[in-house]
Amino acid sequence: MKNRKIRSLAVSPIGMGCMGFSHGYGKVPEEKESIASIRKAYEFGCTFFDTAEAYGKEMFYPGHNEELVGKALLPFRNKVVLATKYHLDEKEVNESTTLYTAIHNHLIASMEKLRTDYIDLYYLHRINEQISIEEIAEVMGRLIKEGMIREWGLSQVSVETLAKAYRITPVGAVQNLYSMVERDCEQEIFPYCLENEIAVVPFSPIASGFLSGKVTPDTPFEGDDVRKFVPQLAKENLIANQPILNMLAEVAQEKQATNAQISLAWMLHKYPNAVPIPGSKNLGRILENLSAWDVRLTDTEFQAIENQLNQIPVYGHRGHVESQQQSFGKQWDKH
């Protein structure tokens, strides 16, 4: 297991998305169990943990996930890379509050919840169409110079937005939706990021569990479960996308691995700057996902997977460009 780089930061090649302990997949574990799982992941070798100020607002309150993650990582905070994200409402910036002050306020609140005095990787969770991305990049550069954050990132962005920001302050990471069934980022995001030494941090790299093969048309998505909104997980698309699972299962059997591990190993083989952050609330699944860093595909095996993927149509598409105004998260507003 070799570390990967997020500009100045060294991280395990697979990180841990922590959202599921507060939101997203139905009933959450008890806090003690969640903390134990995060610490087990660290003991296993994971050094990259991802959260956000918004995680928990549906079931608990904004910041719930940050509090939990901060508590879990406290004993070894300086040995891990901690990422969190903020949203910015245009109303926060006015005659009495500058853009710097507004972002600084979010950062201070997150640091308090996370029990730390610096953030390794600080993302704008979604761009706000009413606020200049160049001006945000300037503020993020200032926060880096002040030592409050080490690197900064963007999430669910186009290459045009990324380039505008990068020209002002070099971006450390782009956290976009990317998996075997959501490959838009291959067209422009990955090439640009490889050229400019930017890490790509794929969220939902196992397509919300679809690529594991354990989600079926009969799987119920109840309560606080975002999978009810995921295009590939609509019943008709679960059935139509079965050829992808058949291909994965065949390779997994040959490699003595799981479907999920093969999908992650494919991603790691394809892009040296990819650092996927699968999210799970189940310890067994967390360790299974992290173990994918030990699954090695030969160039021949990788190319065989690529050839098959390129021939299999995918049903259901979300895309990787969103904003505060046009966000997948607004699905909750309709329910």
Side-chain angles (χ1 to χ4, degrees):
M1 190 268 283
K2 294 176 64 176
N3 281 339
R4 296 200 165 195
K5 299 289 287 185
I6 298 179
R7 202 160 289 279
S8 66
L9 309 170
V11 297
S12 53
I14 299 174
M16 183 175 175
C18 297
M19 181 187 78
F21 296 119
S22 299
H23 159 65
Y25 298 103
K27 185 179 179 182
V28 301
E30 293 292 329
E31 183 179 286
K32 286 184 179 180
E33 182 182 341
S34 297
I35 289 173
S37 293
I38 292 171
R39 291 177 177 173
K40 287 284 186 183
Y42 169 72
E43 291 169 11
F44 195 75
C46 180
T47 60
F48 183 33
F49 297 87
D50 180 271
T51 182
E53 66 174 21
Y55 295 162
K57 62 183 173 64
E58 287 81 5
M59 290 182 71
F60 300 97
Y61 49 85
H64 178 271
N65 197 247
E66 286 184 322
E67 289 179 353
L68 190 152
V69 171
K71 195 178 296 186
L73 298 182
L74 190 59
F76 41 87
R77 166 67 187 98
N78 64 343
K79 295 180 180 179
V80 299
V81 169
L82 177 55
T84 193
K85 303 177 278 291
Y86 70 98
H87 285 274
L88 193 63
D89 191 293
E90 64 273 14
K91 295 176 184 175
E92 295 179 61
V93 183
N94 49 52
E95 291 181 2
S96 60
T97 306
T98 65
L99 182 61
Y100 172 84
T101 300
I103 295 175
H104 186 270
N105 289 342
H106 282 271
L107 178 58
I108 292 296
S110 286
M111 289 195 300
E112 288 177 355
K113 291 181 176 69
L114 287 162
R115 306 186 182 200
T116 185
D117 58 1
Y118 68 97
I119 299 297
D120 296 289
L121 176 57
Y122 198 40
Y123 293 99
L124 179 62
H125 207 154
R126 292 291 181 271
I127 64 166
N128 188 314
E129 296 170 14
Q130 305 301 316
I131 302 176
S132 161
I133 192 64
E134 291 92 342
E135 292 180 13
I136 287 174
E138 285 183 13
V139 171
M140 299 300 263
R142 180 176 167 185
L143 293 172
I144 291 172
K145 288 179 182 177
E146 292 172 352
M148 299 189 72
I149 65 176
R150 293 183 172 180
E151 299 289 352
W152 82 289
L154 293 165
S155 181
Q156 287 294 75
V157 291
S158 67
V159 74
E160 291 80 12
T161 297
L162 175 58
K164 287 179 184 178
Y166 184 87
R167 283 193 288 268
I168 305 300
T169 303
V171 178
V174 173
Q175 185 176 134
N176 274 13
L177 181 66
Y178 178 65
S179 72
M180 282 185 166
V181 293
E182 287 278 2
R183 296 175 64 183
D184 292 0
C185 286
E186 294 180 354
Q187 297 169 21
E188 295 181 315
I189 287 292
F190 270 107
Y192 183 89
C193 288
L194 283 167
E195 181 181 346
N196 292 283
E197 299 183 338
I198 302 169
V200 177
V201 178
F203 72 89
S204 290
I206 307 170
S208 300
F210 168 70
L211 295 172
S212 73
K214 294 183 170 62
V215 178
T216 74
D218 297 321
T219 301
F221 301 134
E222 300 172 338
D224 179 51
D225 198 323
V226 297
R227 291 176 294 181
K228 67 180 73 173
F229 307 129
V230 173
Q232 291 95 0
L233 301 186
K235 287 191 176 184
E236 64 274 15
N237 292 335
L238 280 169
I239 295 167
N241 288 325
Q242 188 63 40
I244 297 170
L245 298 184
N246 295 342
M247 179 274 293
L248 266 178
E250 186 176 324
V251 178
Q253 185 174 8
E254 291 173 359
K255 297 293 289 184
Q256 296 185 312
T258 66
N259 282 25
Q261 289 172 338
I262 295 300
S263 71
L264 291 167
W266 163 81
M267 189 179 292
L268 294 177
H269 186 107
K270 187 164 188 173
Y271 294 113
N273 65 331
V275 187
I277 50 166
S280 178
K281 58 185 181 180
N282 177 282
L283 179 59
R285 197 79 65 240
I286 291 166
L287 299 184
E288 173 192 331
N289 293 338
L290 294 176
S291 295
W293 60 46
D294 290 325
V295 177
R296 298 283 191 272
L297 297 174
T298 66
D299 290 343
T300 302
E301 290 167 338
F302 168 77
Q303 196 56 54
I305 294 173
E306 283 283 278
N307 292 342
Q308 291 189 72
L309 280 177
N310 290 335
Q311 294 171 19
I312 301 173
V314 176
Y315 297 88
H317 179 255
R318 171 177 166 181
H320 72 276
V321 179
E322 296 181 17
S323 69
Q324 189 88 348
Q325 287 75 15
Q326 305 291 328
S327 171
F328 183 78
K330 288 187 177 294
Q331 300 280 354
W332 287 105
D333 298 341
K334 304 171 187 175
H335 287 73

